[in-house]
Amino acid sequence: EYMATGRPILYLGKGLAADFLDEAGCAVTAAPDDVEAVRDAVKELIRDPERMREMGMKGRALVEQHYRRDKTMHALVQAVEEKLSGGS
């Protein structure tokens, strides 16, 4: 939901979520237990407002392309109909 707002993300975490956000180009990530990395990530965002804007736009575009409610509901309805009709 936050990506849909068009704002950049500061994600404090590791693993698949951090990898996904890095690949999408919509976040700066840091390990939550690494105080210096968190500080540097915040500074990185503050110093470059244009990059912040671009990151926000990338997040918003990702949501609009892959996670729109109408597309998600359509896929859900199709999956349910397939199950009900005996499909796998």
Side-chain angles (χ1 to χ4, degrees):
E1 288 179 4
Y2 189 80
M3 289 169 56
T5 68
R7 295 184 176 149
I9 297 169
L10 171 60
Y11 180 75
L12 305 181
K14 303 176 187 177
L16 293 175
D19 294 343
F20 172 80
L21 293 169
D22 282 336
E23 272 188 43
C26 62
V28 173
T29 62
D33 56 349
D34 185 344
V35 175
E36 288 82 19
V38 173
R39 180 198 63 218
D40 293 344
V42 170
K43 284 182 178 180
E44 182 180 334
L45 287 172
I46 292 171
R47 287 185 184 143
D48 195 348
E50 179 59 26
R51 180 164 178 237
M52 286 176 49
R53 188 185 70 73
E54 289 173 6
M55 289 169 58
M57 288 176 34
K58 286 180 181 181
R60 172 78 186 212
L62 183 77
V63 169
E64 288 176 353
Q65 183 178 7
H66 296 287
Y67 301 106
R68 286 189 6 222
R69 182 172 288 163
D70 60 331
K71 290 175 92 173
T72 304
M73 289 306 296
H74 179 71
L76 177 62
V77 168
Q78 279 186 317
V80 170
E81 287 175 345
E82 184 177 307
K83 275 292 190 192
L84 292 175
S85 69
S88 53

